Amino acid sequence: VSFSPDGKQIVTAGEDGTARLWNLDGQEVQQFQGDQGSVNSVSFSPDGKQIVTAGGDGTARLWNLDGQEVQQFQGDQGWVTSVSFSPDGKQIVTAGEDGTAKLFPVLNLNQLLTRGCTHLNNFLIAYPDRLKTLTICHDDPDRLAAAAPNLVKEAEVQARAGNVDAAIDNFRTALQWNPSLKIDNPEARANQLALEGEAEREAQRLVSEGATLVEQGEIEEAIAAYTKAQQLDPSIEISAYSWNGLCWQGSLQGHAKDVMFACEKAVALAPQDGGIIDSRGLARALTGDTEGATEDFQVFINWTDNAEWKTQRQRWINSLRAGQNPFTPQELESLHNQ
């Protein structure tokens, strides 16, 4: 048990792992509980604003009077049997079951925050938005310089999403953290990226629109949508299956020559997919490339497990080799549902 310096409160140690703060009327004011086993000893700080507890788990713990753990002290002592503050409150001394006494520094708030910054160093570098708000962690120039490139990446994402003001602010902050970064004009860079982001979003919209147009059988409009999307964003990804849909449906709609480029793109993206190669075979057959068509249909026959489709493609191959056209209007109509 320990009296507060002003004599108005006492703190008690309990075998249940809890220290308790009381007023002199016997009313419990606060509890201090951690993973301590039993609390073997307690002591008030000289200013009466903190207490320290000695625990059966081998730790001493520093608490504020609101019951929040502030700092933990641990040494190889077995049980900590006793604990006390130095007269200036800047150190504590513990007595251990192993017969040793150990002296520990009591860190002030800024020291604790600095220690926390060091502990979180890699996290703060990886998430510079958090570092930006924790100005207490701006004391290490190396940390700021290492985080700056990640802040640039975040600014680029913001600019492409249209959040230009936030992007400019992050570009400027990154330059403050690391002046060697190659960002000549944050405003110009953010605005340029915003334009690129707008073009990318429009390109994505056109790709989605193109897929819908294919389903509706509007092949020329779909080709125009895909073409414009690639003009707006040359790096946009259009899947093999989107190109294949244009290839297959375009061929059935009488646009085999126009969609041949889509067939080739689909095969280039998925060269092992027999169904995609089959679509190109249809386009090839309808544009007079008999040899190419028979090769593609044979790949499909070897690839599929569907006996009916195997028989159908073999019939096409036989007709093409005989100089006949197996793709009558009735045959093409039947393929719409395949």
Side-chain angles (χ1 to χ4, degrees):
V1 65
S2 176
F3 265 103
S4 63
D6 62 7
K8 294 181 178 180
Q9 294 177 306
I10 62 172
V11 63
T12 59
E15 290 185 357
D16 62 352
T18 304
R20 290 178 167 83
L21 184 67
W22 310 80
N23 63 28
L24 298 188
D25 293 327
Q27 296 174 322
E28 184 177 309
V29 178
Q30 189 57 264
Q31 290 189 8
F32 310 88
Q33 188 170 27
D35 185 20
Q36 296 183 283
S38 63
V39 178
N40 302 319
S41 175
V42 291
S43 179
F44 262 103
S45 64
D47 62 5
K49 295 180 178 180
Q50 296 175 307
I51 70 164
V52 65
T53 60
D57 62 351
T59 66
R61 296 169 191 258
L62 184 68
W63 310 80
N64 63 29
L65 297 190
D66 292 326
Q68 297 172 321
E69 185 178 314
V70 178
Q71 193 175 348
Q72 192 175 123
F73 313 91
Q74 189 165 17
D76 187 16
Q77 294 180 283
W79 277 30
V80 180
T81 57
S82 182
V83 63
S84 182
F85 278 94
S86 63
D88 62 6
K90 294 182 178 181
Q91 295 175 304
I92 68 161
V93 63
T94 61
E97 183 186 25
D98 63 354
T100 65
K102 292 183 182 290
L103 195 64
F104 297 94
V106 175
L107 303 180
N108 60 36
L109 179 59
N110 283 340
Q111 289 171 321
L112 287 169
L113 289 172
T114 299
R115 176 182 285 186
C117 293
T118 301
H119 180 71
L120 294 172
N121 188 63
N122 292 338
F123 172 83
L124 294 173
I125 289 172
Y127 296 93
D129 56 322
R130 307 291 180 85
L131 176 58
K132 191 176 176 183
T133 61
L134 293 173
T135 55
I136 190 69
C137 297
H138 292 187
D139 60 326
D140 185 349
D142 291 337
R143 178 184 299 128
L144 296 178
N150 289 329
L151 190 59
V152 169
K153 292 178 182 177
E154 187 171 314
E156 291 173 342
V157 171
Q158 290 171 324
R160 288 183 183 279
N163 195 350
V164 175
D165 290 340
I168 291 172
D169 183 61
N170 279 335
F171 279 137
R172 288 173 175 168
T173 300
L175 277 173
Q176 292 172 1
W177 291 358
N178 188 348
S180 66
L181 292 173
K182 295 181 179 180
I183 306 174
D184 296 330
N185 188 323
E187 293 82 0
R189 183 163 179 177
N191 282 298
Q192 178 59 36
L193 288 169
L195 289 174
E196 292 176 6
E198 185 177 348
E200 289 167 1
R201 290 190 293 276
E202 176 62 12
Q204 288 288 355
R205 187 194 68 78
L206 286 167
V207 169
S208 297
E209 181 181 288
T212 300
L213 290 168
V214 167
E215 293 176 359
Q216 295 172 347
E218 299 179 27
I219 304 304
E220 293 180 353
E221 292 80 357
I223 293 172
Y226 284 137
T227 301
K228 187 174 180 181
Q230 291 184 308
Q231 290 171 346
L232 287 171
D233 181 11
S235 65
I236 193 169
E237 293 184 4
I238 301 176
S239 72
Y241 299 102
S242 293
W243 287 125
N244 182 61
L246 180 58
C247 173
W248 180 260
Q249 292 298 331
S251 296
L252 294 179
Q253 296 289 336
H255 297 277
K257 183 178 180 180
D258 298 328
V259 299
M260 183 60 73
F261 78 98
C263 304
E264 296 293 355
K265 285 181 179 291
V267 172
L269 289 170
Q272 305 302 317
D273 191 312
I276 288 175
I277 293 173
D278 182 59
S279 297
R280 184 181 66 179
L282 177 62
R284 282 177 163 179
L286 294 173
T287 55
D289 183 3
T290 299
E291 183 177 352
T294 56
E295 290 176 358
D296 285 348
F297 293 147
Q298 188 60 58
V299 168
F300 180 76
I301 289 171
N302 297 336
W303 177 80
T304 186
D305 292 328
N306 188 300
E308 181 180 350
W309 291 351
K310 284 178 181 286
T311 300
Q312 184 183 49
R313 268 58 174 185
Q314 188 60 58
R315 176 168 54 79
W316 294 350
I317 291 174
N318 294 340
S319 295
L320 290 170
R321 285 176 174 169
Q324 299 171 354
N325 177 18
F327 299 106
T328 62
Q330 294 78 11
E331 186 75 6
L332 293 175
E333 182 63 29
S334 71
L335 294 177
H336 278 286
N337 298 321
Q338 192 173 108

